[in-house]
Amino acid sequence: MSSLPKCPQCSSEYTYEDRGLLICPECSHEWSGETEEAENSGELTVKDANGNVLQDGDSITVIKDLKVKGSSSVVKVGTKVKNIRLVEGDHNIDCKIDGIGAMKLKSEFVKKL
């Protein structure tokens, strides 16, 4: 009997592994077994724009000008942010930015230092 997980889309038990990916022959869904394990363990996995895994307390750099909602302020490209905190949700980084204050950022607009 195989120890591979069932397909997350169609729940087929006939999954197989090919070059590090798990593949379902019934619905052609492909996924990485690593993300499945991280989801099952209950750990929050957040990756930056380059695919590096972020952790609480990391320092990051903003890679795109970001408008601050409800203000005329802008977070400029290259702004360094220290001591981030990861949270659940769409904006998954909690931080304080000098001159602006507490903010939530999306991980797709930052890179790890």
Side-chain angles (χ1 to χ4, degrees):
M1 209 61 194
S2 174
S3 65
L4 296 175
K6 292 184 178 181
C7 176
Q9 278 193 334
C10 70
S11 299
S12 171
E13 58 187 31
Y14 302 111
T15 58
Y16 63 93
E17 188 172 6
D18 185 27
R19 297 182 195 162
L21 288 177
L22 296 172
I23 302 170
C24 175
E26 293 184 4
C27 70
S28 301
H29 178 64
E30 297 179 2
W31 72 100
S32 168
E34 296 172 7
T35 55
E36 175 95 7
E37 291 170 7
E39 289 173 5
N40 289 342
S41 68
E43 295 178 14
L44 176 64
T45 305
V46 177
K47 295 184 178 182
D48 69 357
N50 296 332
N52 299 320
V53 177
L54 297 172
Q55 296 177 346
D56 286 340
D58 280 346
S59 295
I60 56 173
T61 303
V62 177
I63 62 169
K64 178 182 175 184
D65 282 346
L66 301 172
K67 295 179 183 178
V68 179
K69 196 170 189 177
S71 172
S72 61
S73 301
V74 175
V75 179
K76 297 282 188 184
V77 171
T79 302
K80 291 182 173 82
V81 181
K82 297 177 186 175
N83 199 18
I84 64 170
R85 190 170 67 97
L86 303 178
V87 294
E88 291 281 338
D90 188 29
H91 292 73
N92 46 11
I93 298 174
D94 252 350
C95 61
K96 279 189 179 178
I97 298 178
D98 293 336
I100 295 176
M103 279 193 79
K104 289 191 172 203
L105 300 173
K106 289 186 176 184
S107 59
E108 62 199 53
F109 299 124
V110 300
K111 70 176 182 178
K112 188 174 182 176
L113 287 178

